[in-house]
Amino acid sequence: MKSRQALSRALVAASGFAALSDELRAQITEELNVSSLASLSEVGGSLVDTTAKANFRALEKRFGNGVPDMARAMAAAAAVALSLALRSGEAQLEVNGEPVRLTPEEVIITNTPLDLRLPCNGHGSHRESGTHRGRGPGRRLRAGRGRHVRR
């Protein structure tokens, strides 16, 4: 009898994953205690959501009153492509029909991890389901049956 519940899936980023036999995949699935294996490319190949925003202080020095146009162009640009280009030193954007070169200091790149967890029940994640039903110390305090401890 298994003592732990299996996760729904594991994402694999290995280059030879597609060539694995079904027998080897089954063994990996059992060892990892997951229901299935999937390639990372099935979730778009990325585990982060990338956004790009204008660094107004840095842009103001170069563009003055043109900063709002720069900010709109950055918001409309593909953030992942902009981030990759900036890693090599500089990127190019089209602003009002003209190409403009940007440096990494002029763009704020934010990478936010994607939430790839699947809910364990119909109420969201296990953490949310406990508070959703009014469980926990907060419920006892509201009913006057608990102690409030200050730390």
Side-chain angles (χ1 to χ4, degrees), residues 7-59:
L7 296 174
S8 63
R9 71 177 172 171
L11 297 175
V12 181
S15 59
F17 176 70
L20 292 179
S21 68
D22 290 338
E23 183 179 312
L24 189 53
R25 285 181 190 222
Q27 184 178 0
I28 293 169
T29 301
E30 185 177 330
E31 288 294 323
L32 292 178
N33 193 23
V34 294
S35 299
S36 66
L37 295 174
S39 173
L40 182 60
S41 63
E42 291 178 18
V43 293
S46 179
L47 298 177
V48 295
D49 180 36
T50 304
T51 58
K53 292 192 286 185
N55 183 349
F56 289 99
R57 285 192 176 164
L59 289 171

Side-chain angles (χ1 to χ4, degrees), residues 93-111:
L93 263 184
E94 190 169 310
V95 181
N96 296 331
E98 294 186 27
V100 176
R101 290 183 178 220
L102 297 170
T103 63
E105 295 79 27
E106 297 171 327
V107 184
I108 299 170
I109 300 291
T110 305
N111 292 315

Side-chain angles (χ1 to χ4, degrees), residues 47-92:
L47 298 177
V48 295
D49 180 36
T50 304
T51 58
K53 292 192 286 185
N55 183 349
F56 289 99
R57 285 192 176 164
L59 289 171
E60 199 171 63
K61 295 173 188 173
R62 270 183 61 196
F63 299 102
N65 294 336
V67 172
D69 294 333
M70 292 296 298
R72 280 191 290 276
M74 279 186 218
V80 174
L82 190 58
S83 174
L84 289 173
L86 287 170
R87 285 182 192 167
S88 66
E90 62 181 35
Q92 188 167 327

